[in-house]
Amino acid sequence: MAEAQAGSGTQSGILGWIERSGNKLPDPVFLFFWLIAILVVVSIAASLAGLSAAHPTEVDADTGAATVITAQSLLSAENIARLWVEMPQTFTHFHPLGYVLVVMLGAGVAERAGLFGTAMRAGVRNAPIYLLTPIVAFVGMMGNLAADAAYVVLIPLAGIIFHAAGRHPVAGIAAAFAGVSGGFSANLLPGQLDALLFGITEASVETVFGDFTANIAGNWYFIAAMTFVFLPVIWFVTDKMIEPRLGPWNPSMAGKAVSPEQQGEVADGDRALSSAESKGLRWAGLAVLFVVGLWLFFTLGPGTPLIDETASAEARLTPFYQSLVAGFFLLFLLAGWAYGKAAGTIEDHRGLVKMMAGAMEDLAYYLVLAFAAAHFVAMFAWSNLGLILAVNGADFLGNSGLPAWALLTAIILVSALLNIFVGSASAKWALLAPVLVPMLMLLGISPEMATAAYRVGDGATNIITPLMVYFPLILIFCQRWQKDFGLGSLAATMLPYSVGLLLAGLAMTIGWVVLDLPLGPGAEVFMEVPTTVDPTGPASAE
């Protein structure tokens, strides 16, 4: 790691400027605290200036005139009292917090028991040479369900497997990195990221329009399609651009000899699964089938507890959508437990509880970040600036005559650019969502579509910014096979992937909007413009 950091300081040009500029930014936690301080100053100035907006659909019951929303100073007596009195509530009611904690309780067991690592190894070890690249890329995108495990297990393993197949190990690392990080949102199943982002989306809607329930499966069809759109891009770039550029792999070249440690890794990466591991995967598969069957029973069985028979046709499946967070918790938990018991990595219930506690320990930093982000989102709502900006921004964009696909294209490009400087997906969405989501809703674009557009831009530039938390680690993986491989080499290797994924994501988004395809169960691109606004925000409404 020290070698990567030392090398990174000598970069020049655009890459060096990006790195130096990004390094000057504070930690995302303090970035939110600084933004809160700026927000306080802006709210005071906006309040003194009488900044306001007339809501386009709300009218005053007495006068019949349009409802006027005015900016509120965050240093008013009411808001100061709200800050200190409601601080525990502001933190604990931050929607992403509960979603992520619940899902990670299960996912932490699956990761620590070894299910994710074994499943990824099983998915790539016997791949035919000509299908090695797409299989590595596909497993990488699916491996996002395992969060950090995909970075530390699959990416170095891909280099080992490519070497064992006589191909350049760095090409394998690049393909896996592109799948895991460039295709960060692409997957056949919703997972932890969906819970995290839609929690922020839900909070952003509620700051303006009051009560709203996010659908964690609201991007399911979109991210599944993204998987198959990104797969040929990664395959083409790896086999036709990156591997020819790297040249034939020759371990005997000066400075590139394979060490005894690497030889051991090759043998381990290419070894067959043990009988215990195979048995664990079978048991985990049965556990997954059990959970899926259980949810089908709850949805379609007697009493239909996950279907509200009394609601309108559009709202009947609301309990089902709300149950998906718990569903993924149970799926990961039981699959991880079944694997661990069969493979011998979990001895008894005490080991299971210890793994769940370890998953919570890993979220310590996220809890600190969530505390800062929760207060930024809440105070943004108290100031009314989000609503005012959304209304005025919607008026401006509506009068511009830009079609929906052009607006969403702009969001994708802004997200991709911002991602170069702020690596955290949740931190960026917590910054953008309070303005973008309500603004697009006032233009008739759904929160699910806004979230989907953000995800396209967020993943594309993950793989070219040195500020991405795993970027130095990927560099170390490459240097184990090619000692003269520097930061610029990694950025240059990954740039074609970034451009290709961004262009493919843009084309897919535009086509999705033009064809008006459903984004997920019960989630559409467009929606009716909301006719009600809760100017007090969710906190005071309680």
Side-chain angles (χ1 to χ4, degrees):
M1 189 72 70
E3 183 179 353
Q5 291 172 342
S8 65
T10 63
Q11 298 299 311
S12 59
I14 295 178
L15 183 64
W17 175 82
I18 291 173
E19 182 180 7
R20 289 190 298 272
S21 300
N23 284 337
K24 293 178 182 178
L25 292 174
D27 183 274
V29 173
F30 266 80
L31 179 62
F32 276 110
F33 286 137
W34 279 111
L35 288 172
I36 288 173
I38 294 171
L39 179 62
V40 170
V41 174
V42 172
S43 72
I44 295 172
S47 177
L48 292 175
L51 188 66
S52 63
H55 194 276
T57 57
E58 285 291 299
V59 295
D60 187 280
D62 297 326
T63 64
T67 302
V68 177
I69 308 105
T70 59
Q72 301 295 313
S73 169
L74 290 174
L75 289 187
S76 66
E78 177 186 0
N79 282 327
I80 290 176
R82 179 186 288 184
L83 172 65
W84 302 120
V85 172
E86 298 181 3
M87 183 170 285
Q89 176 181 308
T90 300
F91 180 36
T92 58
H93 287 204
F94 187 50
H95 292 290
L97 185 62
Y99 290 175
V100 173
L101 291 178
V102 170
V103 173
M104 279 302 296
L105 275 173
V109 172
E111 179 180 352
R112 284 165 172 73
L115 171 60
F116 287 148
T118 301
M120 284 186 285
R121 184 158 59 87
V124 298
R125 62 168 297 275
N126 288 323
I129 292 179
Y130 68 95
L131 290 179
L132 195 55
T133 301
I135 290 176
V136 163
F138 178 76
V139 174
M141 287 185 279
M142 292 300 296
N144 285 319
L145 292 172
D148 293 355
Y151 285 96
V152 299
V153 174
L154 178 64
I155 294 178
L157 179 61
I160 295 168
I161 293 174
F162 264 57
H163 171 267
R167 299 180 61 180
H168 204 296
V170 173
I173 291 172
F177 188 28
V180 172
S181 194
F184 189 56
S185 284
N187 212 295
L188 297 184
L189 295 171
Q192 303 170 50
L193 183 63
D194 296 82
L196 178 64
L197 295 182
F198 275 107
I200 296 172
T201 301
E202 180 174 310
S204 301
V205 176
E206 289 188 341
T207 59
V208 175
F209 299 107
D211 188 49
F212 175 78
T213 299
N215 173 9
I216 191 177
N219 284 166
W220 192 344
Y221 304 157
F222 187 85
I223 63 175
M226 195 188 301
T227 305
F228 295 105
V229 169
F230 283 180
L231 191 60
V233 173
I234 298 174
W235 190 355
F236 176 83
V237 171
T238 302
D239 289 4
K240 301 301 182 182
M241 299 177 67
I242 300 305
E243 198 161 15
R245 177 178 175 273
L246 291 170
W249 169 241
N250 183 1
S252 64
M253 292 175 61
K256 301 179 184 178
V258 180
S259 67
E261 181 184 12
Q262 288 172 317
Q263 292 172 359
E265 289 177 342
V266 171
D268 183 71
D270 195 44
R271 69 174 174 85
L273 298 181
S274 68
S275 59
E277 290 171 332
S278 298
K279 181 180 179 182
L281 289 180
R282 290 195 298 271
W283 282 36
L286 292 175
V288 169
L289 292 176
F290 170 76
V291 175
V292 172
L294 184 65
W295 245 247
L296 287 174
F297 176 78
F298 287 151
T299 306
L300 305 174
T304 59
L306 295 183
I307 295 181
D308 186 354
E309 301 287 358
T310 64
S312 63
E314 295 80 8
R316 291 182 64 195
L317 288 175
T318 297
F320 172 78
Y321 299 143
Q322 292 175 326
S323 75
L324 288 177
V325 172
F328 281 109
F329 155 71
L330 194 63
L331 185 145
F332 289 134
L333 176 65
L334 293 186
W337 194 359
Y339 174 87
K341 290 293 291 184
T345 56
I346 298 179
E347 295 183 359
D348 52 29
H349 71 278
R350 290 180 176 84
L352 177 71
V353 173
K354 186 176 181 181
M355 288 181 179
M356 296 175 74
M360 294 299 97
E361 291 175 5
D362 289 347
L363 287 176
Y365 175 80
Y366 174 74
L367 292 176
V368 179
L369 177 64
F371 178 82
H375 282 83
F376 172 78
V377 171
M379 294 174 73
F380 199 65
W382 301 342
S383 70
N384 279 344
L385 290 175
L387 179 55
I388 293 171
L389 289 173
V391 171
N392 290 332
D395 286 342
F396 172 77
L397 293 176
N399 292 332
S400 70
L402 291 174
W405 64 264
L407 299 177
L408 294 168
T409 296
I411 291 174
I412 291 173
L413 295 176
V414 168
S415 301
L417 179 62
L418 184 60
N419 190 45
I420 294 176
F421 301 96
V422 182
S424 169
S426 58
K428 289 192 301 294
W429 191 226
L431 290 172
L432 297 173
V435 173
L436 290 181
V437 173
M439 181 177 69
L440 292 176
M441 289 176 69
L442 291 172
L443 293 173
I445 299 175
S446 71
E448 291 84 1
M449 188 66 245
T451 308
Y454 165 75
R455 298 174 76 161
V456 172
D458 173 66
T461 50
N462 273 339
I463 50 181
I464 60 171
T465 170
L467 301 178
M468 191 267 181
V469 64
Y470 284 105
F471 201 83
L473 181 63
I474 306 304
L475 182 63
I476 296 300
F477 291 155
C478 293
Q479 288 174 342
R480 297 186 69 181
W481 298 99
Q482 187 169 326
K483 295 187 181 300
D484 61 350
F485 202 85
L487 188 69
S489 302
L490 180 56
T493 298
M494 301 312 299
L495 185 59
Y497 292 105
S498 184
V499 173
L501 294 176
L502 182 60
L503 292 177
L506 281 169
M508 175 181 159
T509 304
I510 293 171
W512 210 280
V513 174
V514 171
L515 296 175
D516 192 14
L517 301 175
L519 295 159
E524 304 292 336
V525 172
F526 300 103
M527 59 176 290
E528 293 184 7
V529 176
T531 57
T532 59
V533 170
D534 179 8
T536 63
S540 61
E542 293 172 353

